[in-house]
Amino acid sequence: MKMRPEKYLRYLFLPNLLELFGTERTKEILTVNPTIIPIREEAATVIINAYVYNKAEVKEYKNISIEEALSLKCNDHIIWINIDGLRKDDVDQLGDQYGIHPLLREDILSINQRPKVDEIDEILFSLMNILYYNEEKNAIGQEQISLVLGKNFVITFQDDPSRDLFNALRERLKLTTSKTRGKEADYLYYTLIDTIVDHYFIVMDKLRDRIEDVEEEIVRGTNKRSLALINVLRKELIVLKRSIYPVRDVLSGLIKSDSELLTEFNERFYKDVYDHVVQAIDLVENYRDMIMGMQDLYISNVNLKMNEVMKVMAIVTCVLAPATVIGGIFGMNFQVIPLSGQHWGFWIAVGAMLIIPAWMLILFRKRGWF
Amino acid sequence: MKMRPEKYLRYLFLPNLLELFGTERTKEILTVNPTIIPIREEAATVIINAYVYNKAEVKEYKNISIEEALSLKCNDHIIWINIDGLRKDDVDQLGDQYGIHPLLREDILSINQRPKVDEIDEILFSLMNILYYNEEKNAIGQEQISLVLGKNFVITFQDDPSRDLFNALRERLKLTTSKTRGKEADYLYYTLIDTIVDHYFIVMDKLRDRIEDVEEEIVRGTNKRSLALINVLRKELIVLKRSIYPVRDVLSGLIKSDSELLTEFNERFYKDVYDHVVQAIDLVENYRDMIMGMQDLYISNVNLKMNEVMKVMAIVTCVLAPATVIGGIFGMNFQVIPLSGQHWGFWIAVGAMLIIPAWMLILFRKRGWF
Amino acid sequence: MKMRPEKYLRYLFLPNLLELFGTERTKEILTVNPTIIPIREEAATVIINAYVYNKAEVKEYKNISIEEALSLKCNDHIIWINIDGLRKDDVDQLGDQYGIHPLLREDILSINQRPKVDEIDEILFSLMNILYYNEEKNAIGQEQISLVLGKNFVITFQDDPSRDLFNALRERLKLTTSKTRGKEADYLYYTLIDTIVDHYFIVMDKLRDRIEDVEEEIVRGTNKRSLALINVLRKELIVLKRSIYPVRDVLSGLIKSDSELLTEFNERFYKDVYDHVVQAIDLVENYRDMIMGMQDLYISNVNLKMNEVMKVMAIVTCVLAPATVIGGIFGMNFQVIPLSGQHWGFWIAVGAMLIIPAWMLILFRKRGWF
Amino acid sequence: MKMRPEKYLRYLFLPNLLELFGTERTKEILTVNPTIIPIREEAATVIINAYVYNKAEVKEYKNISIEEALSLKCNDHIIWINIDGLRKDDVDQLGDQYGIHPLLREDILSINQRPKVDEIDEILFSLMNILYYNEEKNAIGQEQISLVLGKNFVITFQDDPSRDLFNALRERLKLTTSKTRGKEADYLYYTLIDTIVDHYFIVMDKLRDRIEDVEEEIVRGTNKRSLALINVLRKELIVLKRSIYPVRDVLSGLIKSDSELLTEFNERFYKDVYDHVVQAIDLVENYRDMIMGMQDLYISNVNLKMNEVMKVMAIVTCVLAPATVIGGIFGMNFQVIPLSGQHWGFWIAVGAMLIIPAWMLILFRKRGWF
Amino acid sequence: MKMRPEKYLRYLFLPNLLELFGTERTKEILTVNPTIIPIREEAATVIINAYVYNKAEVKEYKNISIEEALSLKCNDHIIWINIDGLRKDDVDQLGDQYGIHPLLREDILSINQRPKVDEIDEILFSLMNILYYNEEKNAIGQEQISLVLGKNFVITFQDDPSRDLFNALRERLKLTTSKTRGKEADYLYYTLIDTIVDHYFIVMDKLRDRIEDVEEEIVRGTNKRSLALINVLRKELIVLKRSIYPVRDVLSGLIKSDSELLTEFNERFYKDVYDHVVQAIDLVENYRDMIMGMQDLYISNVNLKMNEVMKVMAIVTCVLAPATVIGGIFGMNFQVIPLSGQHWGFWIAVGAMLIIPAWMLILFRKRGWF
């Protein structure tokens, strides 16, 4: 009886059910409108970090103001400015100083933009999504990042100051042994993109855990919950697909680019990232195959269970039949009923009630019904 | 009992059902014949607006006659004539004056034409669909628009004078700070196309609302209504697909075009629109995935429910079985029935009627049946 | 009872059922063998019409013999010979005179050939299917047409003299204002192909009517008839696909062809037909989506109905249960039965029989089962 | 009762069932290993035929030994050697004399090789499958054929001496009017390939007959047999697909080849065969569509039937309900039972037993349940 | 009764069920992260074998240390070093000596890398998966192999010292008649790749055995076990697909490569391997078709069985109906029951109980229900 109230809850409190199926997630996923700028709110907090480095030295500027960032000089150093939290003014000021084309600024300030690569006026621009796994909501979160490469500088624009993927990279940059230190700005650019792509696999690992859980649940039994979980997984797959697939084009764009910003030496590194993206896409396809297999498994399992239940019903129905018929016959109130006066009449009737079903069961088993 | 009449209505009044499933919409969607001109009726009302502008000034001509439109001179201004409501005569007169090829005139006057781009005799011609969301019918409406770009002029032909997408654009044109004012006619051409493509996302947002509603309804329960809604959504998806997919080719045609009408500078803008169209296509695919997921969810849900109902039936049937058999046995009218003379006979029989089903229920639960 | 005999008919008279599902149509559709010439029977009747025209004049030769057709001279006229009904001899004689390569003659005389374009020895050869809608059989009929374009002449070969698509075209040709009159033979060639392609849309319109009917029928109810109709539609779709899809290649072949027979001016017109073919293919895809949607709708509808029937059964079974158990208990022939001597015993038992099911119904409704 | 034993047989004798579903065919189809040569057994019997011909004369050598074959001289004749039954020694000897590269010899001796075209050292090599329809097993059989074209000679290697496709071709070769006689060796090569491809259509015709049979059977009723037949057809489709699809590449390889062995004149003929292969592929796709349609039809039909059975059960259950309840009520052994003393009591009860179900049936019919 | 406990076990001991469905396999398959190096553990045991050969002689070095391997000199011999078991140090030392680029070293040390081909600094690098069939787990195992080709040397890196595919190849190498001996290093490279690809077919053969088993099981009956087997097969298919499909690109990369390491002569051999890979891919597609066919077969079979069970239930229910109704009627305790005083009353009632069901059964059979 312990189970009853829980079941009640499940059926009576609808909001839970909607949450289970992740319906509010649908809205999040399908709301994509890259064209309307005004929707974006100006970031409440902006964190700007900058690194000015060359082979010999690294200067670190943490949490500086936009004015300080603008005043940085490169003279044979490479500058990397990272901005967490976007404000139109900041982007415009930086854009003016570093020669970022207005169309690119629009892209930086856009929301839900498709990953893309562009090259205008000596500036190489890439836009990608950083993926996060939101443990709380059990959903994949995405944060748009714009990477701007120019002669001697890299500027990265991110939405959310609370998360940052590049900390390990920063630590490495401070080491004198760092490969990045001795190379051009485009090597830094590569390591940034590489870090983003590598993080996809970590996010997908989390999703894989859930796929396994769902499979286990389906194998154990088919209920509303496992159905909901498949549904939720299919939605996350859409997010994955949308964020990762276009990155292939971004990278093949970078590889094929004849920009002078990309030294030939680094092309090989971009090819390596490209291989990883292709593998990530393969993996998404594998996830899809797996989830589709689970969907089929679910339906087959439900059918199988129904089949089993039906068999029990059919058997019980059949077993009842003789008892009903014979009981009906001898239960009639006629004055003259054959056998009714006999001592052994009752036993004959009861015997028939038992022997006929037994014979039916043997027959059914031979037919392979259970 | 309150529910009964409503149910009755649903099953008895068929027209409602057909409306629910949007069957008359099928006709609208599948009727496509671009080849027959005579079907088009001459527009009852025609509204012609014209703008003659350059960097310095803008002249606005509202609601002018076709003759006035023909008399507009450009001398180093750019002319934009917008015609809402199509009449063959008007198109021919304008065509003669501005050198629009007869084949293009046919396209302008056609119905249900596939989006296309063409270039004949120094005229760049694009045909697209403006999408509207018809709140009343809960359906996507489409209106064909032809955009003609020539040296120093843009002419746009629309069907329906009652709707217009370009009002915001017109307001901006009147401002001296407007970017359009200082550029060639092809920049205006770009902004028009950009406006049309951006509006796709607004229409898709409306459809997204419906997808969410349907998902919620399916999660809550599976009935004829939710089935009808999926069906209706699938049809709207066909409209979306048909209108948006070919626009990609239109835009890649514009980008690759070596027409002298397109200044190299604007190519970048067309690439931007192209990116938006690709994203719109991605989104349509996402919608499709989502709707297919809902279809599967629907079927699984129906099966699951049937499974549950079956289980209850099976359990009740099994629980009844001993009562039926034992009641049948002791209800027979034999003169000699064992136990029948005993005081505790009745209680033994009733006890068996209760204990056997209880044992069966325990067995079933162990087998994980409910 | 009126319905019984009809149902009987449906199940007993199998031929009707096979006809309903259009099984004999399967044979027609899947019998494709382009390689065996001898199967073609010589046409019983042959109708030959010819037009010899230039800008100034048109000479019409109706129902002439093959010898008369061979004696036609062009001297700066354009000759169009149309042959309805194919005989090997006629084809060979014409082939010899006009220089049609033996391989092309084989194609002309073939059956069920795939639409193709070929160019041998100054002859441009196209083979397509004219589609008809057979109202009687409710099926799409196809007739193979070969179009031969040479310097100053066009020859068209059709199978069936009883149908002709080109009558409107002939009437137009006789007018002095006809565009065809003033142009080269390849313009006539274009108008012929255009007429054939445009007719696809008319045939598809007929099919669309049927799709609508079927959808309406499925929405109204799911029976063998609607299932059969879906099946029949899927078959017609195969015919449509097979006839229309390769025409795209035919037209792109014509557009890309560098044959001297095609004046550059006409390329634009072929592009227009190409656009129509692409749109027809889009439409076939839409039909396919729609029919697949109907198939899914059908299955969902059947499941939904079964679900409903099951619910009624489950409810009735549950409602019966207490009556069965209680009736069984008190129907037993024991000498000592509690309550049986009481006045109000009967009413207690009957009361329990009514109250328990009522309580069960309330419970079920709360669980959202009906 | 006549049917019972047959049914028994069907369920008891499992081997029959496995045969019905063609499970041993699965092994045949899926066993593909082109890399292991030793598996091939040396042919027991080898039949070698040769033709040495030019425009003027034909010499026929029937059933000659390999030594005789090797001694044939061409001096301005064309030699065609056909070998039915493969032995490694023979292939090596011929290979040495005619300059066939060891890799090609490996291909000739391989099993289950994918159709391919290759060109090594002045030798044009094609490998294809001849398809046969095995009437007995109702399955498509395949026999690998290797066609070697060199300067002035054609050598064909086949597996099975008991079947030969080229007899009609041989008869034609002996006629002085034969087109082949007056041309180069590559024309003979073309006619051989053409014969093989044309034979695909004959085999597919046989399969089509079976598709029709299965459709008819499914329309008539859904049983294990029709399910098995669909399953078997799907397997044959795999064979068809595997044998025919790569032949398209073979032919486009031949067409694009710039081998000096292929005279430009014959290219046109290869294009013709190419068209036939494309049409065969189209047809395979049509078959696939048709079989998938049948699969859907099957499932829908099963569901429909189950629906109907359920309805009958539901109706019977409902009709029984009042009799059970009322019979239960008045069958209880209480001393005081209302109406029981009345004359008309019995009739009231029986009346209720009849009127209630009648009313229920009217209600159900109104709801459109049957 | 023998079967009962086994059934119990199946349902009660969940771990077994999870194992049956291969859920822990899901984790193995979906865990792919090529980017994280530190995960790889240094191999416990490393086995290094080397062969230094030319036409004249072969020197075999078995189980040598890394230092010995580094000290091998080639002077006009070809060196093949094979390393089973990877340690970062070894790879770096070899890499330094033979000029293997750091990026390639990373690939060698990576896990779960996608098959790829790369060429850096006169080194041709291929990475592939060797497939094994793990008889115990009934799963396809994979081992990553890196093949490095340089001027006069080949180095192969494998994971697992306990398995080796190249033993037969080694034996052949020792023979003076070996083709490999007389050729450049790239021929050895080809034979290694060829051996790996050929082994795919052996692994697929094992999988084919399982496909056959599953099909047979499904044909015999539909239970949880066969469902689990399909599920397991679908997963193995993912592994196959992932390992084999990219190898096509590897080989086309090798064929198209203009590396000086590849002699033109060997291109032909690579084409041969390419053909085998294409055929393997075809075969994987066939497996997929087959498994999908089995999935459909499974569902149809379950439905069919349910249909049959339902029919039996419907028939039994119908047959019971008259007995229930008539028994109910005459079992009522009214004082006046018609016929009840009659001698033949009982027989009339029983007669009706038997005749009505008999008539119903005849009716059902005519309707084709069983």
Side-chain angles (χ1 to χ4, degrees), chain C residues 172-195:
Chain C
R172 259 191 285 143
L173 192 63
K174 290 188 214 157
L175 304 174
T176 22
T177 57
S178 159
K179 265 197 274 185
T180 316
R181 291 267 293 275
K183 302 201 172 164
E184 297 295 313
D186 65 335
Y187 189 84
L188 175 65
Y189 201 67
Y190 147 72
T191 49
L192 291 167
I193 291 175
D194 192 39
T195 308

Side-chain angles (χ1 to χ4, degrees), chain D residues 22-76:
Chain D
T23 47
E24 91 286 1
R25 180 77 177 136
T26 305
K27 194 189 192 76
E28 283 170 37
I29 291 175
L30 295 188
T31 307
V32 170
N33 194 335
T35 61
I36 307 169
I37 301 168
I39 281 173
R40 169 182 288 278
E41 295 170 22
E42 297 284 282
T45 52
V46 178
I47 299 177
I48 304 178
N49 295 314
Y51 290 79
V52 180
Y53 69 90
N54 63 5
K55 181 94 194 149
E57 55 166 353
V58 179
K59 277 178 246 157
E60 187 178 18
Y61 301 89
K62 289 200 118 174
N63 223 328
I64 55 176
S65 70
I66 182 72
E67 288 74 24
E68 289 170 297
L70 288 166
S71 66
L72 294 171
K73 291 273 148 57
C74 72
N75 40 358
D76 69 84

Side-chain angles (χ1 to χ4, degrees), chain D residues 112-148:
Chain D
N112 290 321
Q113 187 82 14
R114 199 176 183 259
K116 57 185 283 187
V117 65
D118 211 344
E119 199 185 330
I120 311 187
D121 307 338
E122 304 287 299
I123 292 284
L124 195 65
F125 173 80
S126 313
L127 186 149
M128 297 166 75
N129 288 322
I130 299 177
L131 298 184
Y132 289 99
Y133 194 78
N134 189 327
E135 301 274 0
E136 210 176 307
K137 288 191 189 172
N138 258 326
I140 294 171
Q142 58 186 57
E143 185 190 346
Q144 191 169 304
I145 180 166
S146 302
L147 304 117
V148 174

Side-chain angles (χ1 to χ4, degrees), chain D residues 1 3 7 11 14 17-18 21-23 26-27 29-36 101 103 106-107 112-114 116 118-120 222-224 227 231 234-235 238 241-242 246 292 295 298-299 302-303 305-306 308-310 312-313 316-317 320 323-324 326-327 330-334 337-343 345-347 349-350 353, chain E residues 179 190 194 197-199 201-202 204-205 208-209 211-212 215-221 265 268-269 271-272 275-276 278-279 282-283 286-287 289-290 292-294 296-297 299-301 303-308 310-311 313-315 317-318 320-322 324-325 328-338 360 364-365 367-370:
Chain D
M1 284 305 186
M3 211 173 150
K7 273 200 174 171
Y11 288 101
L14 210 56
L17 197 61
L18 291 182
F21 277 85
T23 47
T26 305
K27 194 189 192 76
I29 291 175
L30 295 188
T31 307
V32 170
N33 194 335
T35 61
I36 307 169
H101 189 276
L103 267 177
E106 261 184 43
D107 283 336
N112 290 321
Q113 187 82 14
R114 199 176 183 259
K116 57 185 283 187
D118 211 344
E119 199 185 330
I120 311 187
T222 49
N223 50 38
K224 204 119 191 166
L227 185 58
N231 205 39
R234 285 176 84 155
K235 286 185 202 164
I238 290 177
K241 222 170 149 178
R242 193 157 64 191
M292 282 307 155
Q295 178 99 32
Y298 180 87
I299 288 179
V302 169
N303 276 332
K305 210 159 209 174
M306 193 154 11
E308 231 167 75
V309 171
M310 293 296 293
V312 170
M313 265 185 78
V316 170
T317 306
L320 281 181
T324 309
I326 296 169
F330 290 101
M332 291 190 293
N333 296 316
F334 287 101
I337 298 177
L339 303 177
S340 74
Q342 256 45 37
H343 257 105
F346 176 81
W347 295 114
V350 171
M353 282 180 181
Chain E
K179 266 197 273 185
Y190 146 73
D194 192 39
V197 168
D198 286 5
H199 200 251
F201 289 95
I202 291 163
M204 289 168 88
D205 256 28
R208 191 212 59 217
D209 286 349
I211 293 178
E212 288 167 42
E215 196 192 21
E216 221 177 289
E217 191 142 347
I218 292 172
V219 168
R220 275 199 180 112
F265 184 73
R268 192 163 310 287
F269 290 98
K271 266 187 194 154
D272 205 61
D275 285 348
H276 290 167
V278 169
Q279 195 162 7
D282 276 13
L283 199 55
N286 291 345
Y287 280 21
D289 285 1
M290 202 64 98
M292 282 305 153
M294 274 156 44
D296 287 357
L297 180 62
I299 289 179
S300 304
N301 229 350
N303 276 332
L304 199 65
K305 211 159 207 175
M306 194 157 6
N307 207 1
E308 231 167 76
M310 293 295 294
K311 270 193 243 164
M313 265 186 77
I315 290 163
T317 307
C318 294
L320 281 181
T324 310
V325 173
I329 288 173
F330 289 101
M332 291 190 292
N333 296 316
F334 287 99
Q335 276 168 6
V336 184
I337 298 176
M360 284 170 92
F364 290 166
R365 163 136 300 183
R367 283 195 164 208
W369 280 10
F370 61 101

Side-chain angles (χ1 to χ4, degrees), chain A residues 223-285:
Chain A
N223 50 38
K224 203 119 192 168
R225 212 178 108 79
S226 49
L227 185 58
L229 288 176
I230 294 177
N231 206 38
V232 168
L233 280 179
R234 285 176 84 155
K235 286 185 201 164
E236 296 309 317
L237 216 58
I238 290 176
V239 178
L240 267 191
K241 219 169 151 179
R242 194 158 62 193
S243 293
I244 298 179
Y245 279 46
V247 175
R248 180 167 47 177
D249 297 336
V250 169
L251 276 154
S252 79
L254 286 173
I255 291 168
K256 285 183 203 147
S257 163
D258 52 359
S259 165
E260 292 185 4
L261 294 167
L262 297 177
T263 53
E264 201 183 318
F265 183 75
N266 281 340
E267 193 188 304
R268 191 162 311 286
F269 290 97
Y270 285 105
K271 266 187 195 157
D272 205 62
V273 190
Y274 179 84
D275 284 349
H276 289 167
V277 173
V278 169
Q279 195 163 7
I281 290 172
D282 275 13
L283 199 55
V284 174
E285 287 299 316

Side-chain angles (χ1 to χ4, degrees), chain C residues 53 76-79 149-154 179-191 260-266 270:
Chain C
Y53 69 91
D76 70 84
H77 287 65
I78 291 164
I79 300 179
L149 171 67
K151 186 78 192 154
N152 289 331
F153 65 88
V154 171
K179 265 197 274 185
T180 316
R181 291 267 293 275
K183 302 201 172 164
E184 297 295 313
D186 65 335
Y187 189 84
L188 175 65
Y189 201 67
Y190 147 72
T191 49
E260 292 186 5
L261 294 166
L262 297 176
T263 53
E264 200 182 320
F265 183 75
N266 281 342
Y270 285 107

Side-chain angles (χ1 to χ4, degrees), chain C residues 38-46 85-90 109:
Chain C
I39 282 174
R40 171 183 286 279
E41 295 171 21
E42 296 285 283
T45 52
V46 178
L86 292 182
R87 283 183 189 150
K88 197 172 179 323
D89 270 2
D90 301 358
L109 289 166

